Amino acid sequence: MADELAARIAPHIDALADVTAGRPDPFASPVHLAGPAELTAARVLPALADLVGGGLELRVTFGLADDLLAGLAQRRFDLVVSTIRPRGRGFTATPLTDEEFVLVGPRGFTGDPRTARLVAYAEDLPIIRRYWRSVLGARPPARPAVVVPDLRAVLACVLAACGVSVLPRYLCAAELASGQLVALLEPAEPPINTLFVVSRTEPCRAGPAAVRDALLADAARW
């Protein structure tokens, strides 16, 4: 009961503190932002550089979507960049961008990607399995050779010729352009995943609102 009451009154206490301190919102207090490590590092944080330069303070947490949305509901975060659309009435989710997935191999790869060694984000091959079913109409045929829970590390493994993998195009666009990686298939309709910027369904403080608006404006270039 005490925790629930504290969660309900927290926004009002924050607002009162900002007023009594005479500090202008959106810079009155840090914005607590959470999201997937790879996208947040590559796209989200660079998009907020101007706000930070203007005095906004950010506190950033990485994690999986379900855990981060739970933290948002518990008021540990102000905003979450989510790889899934949240359920429930307590959230407001705005589509941010679509990430496109591409099957990639190292420079000079000439084998059959369907039987190649796999580098995966997780043991159950969540990204690879979706790509195989969507594009090839089958399940991946083999256990992964490497499992590492960071897509930037998956990219590094593919560049080092540990195997092939499926990555978001934004994460490997430079390597594809330089020829360090090759796209092994070019389906007419590659798999995509919609990303959302999520807040609680309540009046949003000016700081989180400024972060949300900056992300939505910048995402048009992602």
Side-chain angles (χ1 to χ4, degrees):
M1 180 67 71
D3 290 343
E4 181 180 353
L5 177 62
R8 289 170 57 188
I9 68 175
H12 307 289
I13 293 175
D14 290 344
L16 180 61
D18 292 344
V19 171
T20 57
R23 296 177 298 182
D25 210 16
F27 307 132
S29 58
V31 172
H32 292 264
L33 174 68
E38 301 88 353
L39 180 77
T40 303
R43 290 289 184 266
V44 171
L45 292 178
L48 302 176
D50 287 346
L51 287 180
V52 173
L56 183 70
E57 297 179 6
L58 280 174
R59 302 294 182 265
V60 181
T61 300
F62 298 149
L64 299 177
D66 287 336
D67 296 334
L68 299 182
L69 291 171
L72 180 64
Q74 296 162 3
R75 299 186 176 277
R76 291 191 287 117
F77 311 124
D78 299 305
L79 293 171
V80 167
V81 176
S82 178
T83 56
I84 60 175
R85 181 188 289 273
R87 299 172 181 174
R89 298 180 180 179
F91 299 118
T92 298
T94 305
L96 181 62
T97 190
D98 290 333
E99 55 180 356
E100 174 192 333
F101 292 103
V102 56
L103 176 61
V104 295
R107 186 200 308 267
F109 181 86
T110 58
D112 185 345
R114 293 170 294 184
T115 58
R117 293 189 306 273
L118 298 176
V119 181
Y121 179 84
E123 195 73 44
D124 61 347
L125 311 178
I127 300 173
I128 294 173
R129 187 176 66 248
R130 179 182 174 188
Y131 188 97
W132 248 250
R133 286 178 173 173
S134 175
V135 175
L136 300 172
R139 292 176 58 88
R143 291 172 53 187
V146 179
V147 175
V148 55
D150 188 306
L151 292 177
R152 293 163 297 187
V154 171
L155 170 60
C157 287
V158 177
L159 287 169
C162 293
V164 306
S165 193
V166 177
L167 290 169
R169 188 175 287 274
Y170 78 82
L171 193 63
C172 58
E175 290 79 7
L176 287 169
S178 69
Q180 292 176 279
L181 290 183
V182 292
L184 303 180
L185 295 174
E186 292 288 358
E189 296 185 7
I192 63 170
N193 185 52
T194 300
L195 303 169
F196 300 88
V197 58
V198 187
S199 60
R200 290 182 294 275
T201 303
E202 61 185 36
C204 194
R205 290 191 297 112
V211 170
R212 179 194 60 208
D213 293 346
L215 291 178
L216 291 172
D218 199 72
R221 298 190 292 271
W222 298 358

